Amino acid sequence: MKYLGSISAIVSKDVLHELKSREIVVSMLLFSVLTVVVFSFIFEPGSQFKNEVVGGILWMSFVFAGILGLNKSMMSEVTGGNFSALLLAPVDRSAIFFGKAISNFIFIAMVEIFTIPLFMVLYNVNIFAYGAMPVVIFLLGTYGFAILGTLFSIISVNTRTREVMLPLLLLPIIVPVILSSVQALNIYILGHDPADAVKWMQLLAGFDAIFTVVVFAVFDFIVED
């Protein structure tokens, strides 16, 4: 219970701080919406090719907006001395990590909630035509992105080129999560058999589980360095 209480306290702190400052979610949302809007001008009305790539565009907007948010989130923690104080607290350090990861998950999910309806209007696609299963895809994909993004933002925040270092470290590792998410989502966008998406979702869940275990095992060594 103490472990879960520590996670909950960190998440509450981050959410309350964001409600007051509105720095992270607003900047992420503007970036995500701008990406979706700009790419919507690429396709001609009624283009058949459009539906084959729009899933990738949507996830690309989330990934790059998420990277922006991760950088801002960790910078505010480090510059204010909050992260060092958290590491000195008498709690399991993995609880600190998962508290930060859940906070980032919430922020990215908030951006998705506002971006997805706009995306469906601009690109004339109905992601939820075959039910609410795409919600599971977004949850699994966002979780995997938040776990790895939080880890690499902690690693890169102390480097001089932190804005460049985070995407350089994160993007090659996050490819399996993004690929699985895009492929599963495209099945619903293109109107294919929803059962085909289950294999991609199982793969996505597997990657999430592997990344969670790996991060849990190595986080103590990372913050010690």
Side-chain angles (χ1 to χ4, degrees):
M1 292 300 294
K2 182 180 178 181
Y3 188 86
L4 295 177
S6 301
I7 295 176
S8 176
I10 294 170
V11 173
S12 298
K13 173 189 74 70
D14 290 344
V15 171
L16 288 174
H17 181 268
E18 179 60 21
L19 288 175
K20 293 179 180 179
S21 65
R22 297 183 179 88
E23 293 179 357
I24 298 173
V25 173
V26 170
S27 59
M28 290 169 61
L29 181 60
L30 289 175
F31 191 95
S32 178
V33 168
L34 184 61
T35 302
V36 169
V37 171
V38 168
F39 276 92
S40 68
F41 295 111
I42 294 176
F43 307 103
E44 297 180 1
S47 172
Q48 295 299 318
F49 176 71
K50 174 196 66 177
N51 288 353
E52 299 179 7
V53 298
V54 291
I57 292 174
L58 180 61
W59 272 105
M60 182 182 67
S61 71
F62 295 154
V63 168
F64 287 106
I67 289 174
L68 175 65
L70 289 166
N71 264 322
K72 292 178 71 68
S73 175
M74 284 310 303
M75 273 300 298
S76 64
E77 291 283 0
V78 172
T79 55
N82 296 335
F83 192 68
S84 297
L86 286 173
L87 294 177
L88 293 174
V91 297
D92 193 309
R93 287 182 171 178
S94 64
I96 298 172
F97 171 81
F98 285 112
K100 294 298 300 178
I102 293 172
S103 298
N104 291 327
F105 173 88
I106 293 172
F107 298 153
I108 299 170
M110 291 173 66
V111 172
E112 293 174 352
I113 290 172
F114 287 100
T115 304
I116 291 172
L118 175 64
F119 168 83
M120 290 194 294
V121 171
L122 289 176
Y123 293 88
N124 193 28
V125 295
N126 185 3
I127 297 173
F128 306 105
Y130 296 91
M133 283 303 290
V135 174
V136 180
I137 299 172
F138 288 117
L139 291 176
L140 291 174
T142 304
Y143 173 81
F145 178 67
I147 288 290
L148 287 177
T150 302
L151 176 66
F152 286 112
S153 66
I154 293 171
I155 295 173
S156 64
V157 73
N158 291 316
T159 63
R160 291 184 179 181
T161 56
R162 62 181 66 89
E163 292 83 4
V164 177
M165 190 60 66
L166 177 57
L168 286 178
L169 293 173
L170 176 60
L171 291 178
I173 308 300
I174 202 71
V175 166
V177 172
I178 302 304
L179 178 62
S180 301
S181 301
V182 171
Q183 291 293 340
L185 184 61
N186 279 344
I187 290 173
Y188 289 95
I189 292 176
L190 296 172
H192 295 168
D193 185 359
D196 295 336
V198 174
K199 297 178 181 179
W200 288 106
M201 294 169 65
Q202 290 173 340
L203 183 63
L204 179 56
F207 280 120
D208 286 355
I210 292 170
F211 291 143
T212 301
V213 172
V214 170
V215 169
F216 184 84
V218 304
F219 183 69
D220 278 352
F221 300 101
I222 290 173
V223 293
E224 285 178 2
D225 294 337

